[in-house]
Amino acid sequence: MHFGQEKEGGWEPHDDVRREILLDMRRVREDVLAAPATSLLLTGDIAQSGREEEYKTASDWLADAAEATGSPARKIMAVPGNHDVDLRGLKEEHRALQTWMRTAPLDKVEQAMTQILGEDRHPIPRKLADYRSFAFAHDTDFQNWSYPVTTKTFEVNGQSIRFKGLCTAMASDRDDAKNSMFLSASQYRIPRDPEVIDVVFMHHPLTWLRDADRIENYLNSRARILITGHEHQPIIEPCEHHAGYQQLRLAAGAANPPYADDIFRYSYSWLEFDWVNDDDGGVLVVRVYPRTWCEQSTCFKPDDKLVGEDQFVEHRIRCAIAKRNPAARADQPKEADVKGAHSESSESPGSDGSTREGATAPFNNLVQAVSGKALDDLRFFFWRKMQKSERAEILIEVGLLSERARLRLPSAVERQAFEEAIEIGCLHRLWNTVMRRASPSDRLDNPFGENE
């Protein structure tokens, strides 16, 4: 779903709509699918102006949505949208730089963006600092600024389906328009894995991206499903590209209208995946359950414009998948073998702007050494219950942040601090320090050993 927050003074009737979404989620889970969801997927605009208090409001609703759908709490898939950037830190020269990016030659923009993303404190990526804190707490953070992609892989009937969320909002501001946004090559050059099916999701549709012609050749030959948001209108469109490559394009609906006074059909969707093996590889079966607001009954129902009288529409995508070589992957732990291990593979950008598989991020390696649920609880509690100033004080007290960093925290400070905490074995102390600052009713027993 395309979440979004309302503008000032526009909270109703959207609060009622969100309550109805939760009721409908439970109905679909229990009466239509008779099974829980695996994950929530958000195509951006989680906040209104990219500020932490907005993300915490959204987080509370997402916890209710996880309960209604039966999906794991505190683990979602998300990408930022144009409302997830905080523009308060941009000075005139930074706004001018973003304006230049909208018309300058693409190769020069690519070079400039690579340099900008290599500077941890540059104001342009720091617009997403609060988003990244939210994302880290919910297990959907970027790998790093230079490779602002989130990745998760799931197994469906023995077939790996890899979800890759791309960031189209890095240069976003109030002047966004079609054919003016930019997506770097390091993101859309998705490493091809002949044993994996790729699902790509991002906020802006391709028509909003200046480098769309370059992007489409990659996405139309590597992504079997492309999911976008931003335009608030649900779309289900099967496509066939070069050499018969089959793809399904989906546009998310939204839980709020583009403007406060719009007459709008609120909508969201469920996606269901299945895999059927055959001698030519297999068929990816995708069932889309689009749900839309009914003005007469003031609740959600199947979107008859997309599915007629049915609950869902089914698309079958033929995929040429290489047969797995068990020996080649025997040394790679499966998710079931490692308690709490992240199931995603990790990639990082190469010097040519491409990406290489297997360059594992430190956090994804380190997390395998500790209890996954306990770590999930700690990083969520740390973000949700503590204010920024409290988080800085805690990290300084535990020795994970220097005193001189107090006034200007590094970007994605939570991820860096937790990596170091795992590495030096001070999660036990970090937990105790956090709980001392929590209200008595929120405090929990420490699940970590003294050397963790």
Side-chain angles (χ1 to χ4, degrees):
M1 61 181 300
H2 180 97
F3 188 71
Q5 296 268 5
E6 296 79 9
K7 296 176 174 62
E8 184 178 356
W11 285 96
E12 291 292 346
H14 311 308
D15 272 357
D16 177 72
V17 168
R18 292 210 182 94
R19 287 191 293 268
E20 288 296 323
I21 289 178
L22 296 175
L23 292 174
D24 189 68
M25 285 175 165
R26 192 175 298 277
R27 281 194 297 268
V28 174
R29 170 193 171 185
E30 295 176 352
D31 301 336
V32 180
L33 293 173
T38 304
S39 179
L40 300 174
L41 188 153
L42 307 178
T43 53
D45 284 358
I46 298 158
Q48 171 60 30
S49 53
R51 301 181 187 184
E52 180 163 287
E53 60 270 21
E54 297 168 350
Y55 291 116
K56 290 188 174 181
T57 298
S59 178
D60 291 344
W61 188 89
L62 289 170
D64 293 337
E67 181 181 2
T69 60
S71 61
R74 303 170 187 171
K75 282 182 176 288
I76 64 174
M77 293 185 288
V79 289
N82 52 295
H83 284 289
D84 293 314
V85 298
D86 185 351
L87 301 176
R88 291 174 297 177
L90 289 186
K91 297 181 179 179
E92 189 59 38
E93 61 263 32
H94 307 129
R95 296 178 187 275
L97 178 56
Q98 292 194 156
T99 300
W100 171 82
M101 288 181 179
R102 300 188 189 280
T103 57
L106 285 174
D107 289 340
K108 291 187 178 296
V109 175
E110 184 81 53
Q111 293 172 4
M113 186 62 76
T114 299
Q115 180 177 346
I116 287 168
L117 295 182
E119 301 175 22
D120 178 69
R121 295 185 182 277
H122 197 286
I124 287 181
R126 282 184 67 88
K127 294 179 303 183
L128 288 165
D130 282 355
Y131 168 81
R132 285 199 65 184
S133 294
F134 159 84
F136 181 72
H138 292 80
D139 193 35
T140 189
D141 189 19
F142 307 151
Q143 178 175 317
N144 51 52
W145 286 121
S146 296
Y147 188 55
V149 175
T150 183
T151 306
K152 281 193 174 71
T153 303
F154 301 92
E155 295 290 319
V156 178
N157 289 344
Q159 175 59 50
S160 295
I161 300 180
R162 180 174 60 179
F163 286 75
K164 298 193 76 67
L166 312 185
C167 177
T168 61
M170 194 63 72
S172 186
D173 58 30
R174 293 189 182 91
D175 293 328
D176 292 355
K178 286 189 174 182
N179 197 34
S180 71
M181 312 300 291
F182 181 77
L183 185 69
S184 60
S186 67
Q187 294 190 66
Y188 64 74
R189 291 176 182 169
I190 299 167
R192 196 191 308 274
D193 186 333
E195 296 182 4
V196 171
I197 293 172
D198 279 310
V199 177
V200 172
F201 62 105
M202 57 190 187
H203 181 69
H204 292 90
L206 290 170
T207 53
W208 286 72
L209 302 175
R210 290 191 60 209
D211 45 349
D213 289 345
R214 300 181 180 186
I215 297 167
E216 286 210 74
N217 287 336
Y218 283 90
L219 296 189
N220 293 348
S221 61
R222 303 191 184 187
R224 289 297 182 179
I225 301 176
L226 176 61
I227 305 172
T228 58
H230 190 63
E231 294 184 333
H232 297 243
Q233 295 297 331
I235 296 172
I236 305 172
E237 181 184 6
C239 306
E240 188 167 302
H241 303 299
H242 178 71
Y245 188 90
Q246 295 180 354
Q247 183 187 70
L248 181 62
R249 292 192 175 186
L250 305 173
N256 64 288
Y259 303 101
D261 57 351
D262 276 5
I263 298 174
F264 185 73
R265 294 185 76 198
Y266 310 98
S267 57
Y268 80 103
S269 294
W270 287 71
L271 301 179
E272 186 178 23
F273 297 88
D274 199 1
W275 175 255
V276 180
N277 279 301
D278 61 25
D279 292 339
D280 297 323
V283 175
L284 178 64
V285 182
V286 185
R287 300 181 190 95
V288 186
Y289 297 74
R291 311 292 292 180
T292 191
W293 180 256
C294 176
E295 286 287 346
Q296 290 73 33
S297 59
T298 64
C299 66
F300 284 83
K301 65 178 184 61
D303 191 336
D304 54 11
K305 291 184 178 181
L306 296 174
V307 298
E309 296 182 358
D310 296 323
Q311 292 277 356
F312 65 88
V313 59
E314 179 178 292
H315 290 277
R316 302 175 72 88
I317 304 170
R318 173 151 294 283
C319 305
I321 295 294
K323 299 299 182 184
R324 291 193 177 214
N325 181 354
R329 294 184 174 235
D331 60 335
Q332 295 187 10
K334 298 178 181 178
E335 184 176 10
D337 298 331
V338 182
K339 184 178 180 183
H342 289 214
S343 59
E344 65 263 32
S345 59
S346 181
E347 298 137 9
S348 60
S351 59
D352 61 349
S354 64
T355 59
R356 59 184 186 275
E357 195 83 48
T360 307
F363 189 82
N364 292 347
N365 270 345
L366 292 168
V367 74
Q368 297 182 11
V370 299
S371 169
K373 183 182 183 305
L375 186 61
D376 290 342
D377 289 344
L378 177 56
R379 63 183 177 183
F380 180 82
F381 195 101
F382 181 69
W383 172 80
R384 182 63 189 90
K385 299 295 185 179
M386 304 288 123
Q387 300 299 319
K388 284 184 183 179
S389 58
E390 292 178 295
R391 298 203 296 270
E393 292 287 348
I394 289 169
L395 295 180
I396 291 170
E397 181 178 341
V398 178
L400 298 171
L401 192 67
S402 67
E403 180 67 37
R404 65 181 180 179
R406 183 190 300 273
L407 297 179
R408 192 177 184 192
L409 295 178
S411 299
V413 63
E414 292 87 357
R415 185 183 186 115
Q416 296 174 28
F418 273 66
E419 285 180 0
E420 185 173 352
I422 296 170
E423 204 166 44
I424 66 177
C426 70
L427 288 174
H428 183 273
R429 185 182 173 200
L430 178 57
W431 180 284
N432 285 341
T433 307
V434 170
M435 291 303 158
R436 280 201 306 271
R437 291 174 174 268
S439 64
S441 60
D442 286 332
R443 290 173 186 166
L444 301 170
D445 291 337
N446 196 328
F448 296 105
E450 298 223 3
N451 295 321
E452 286 186 288

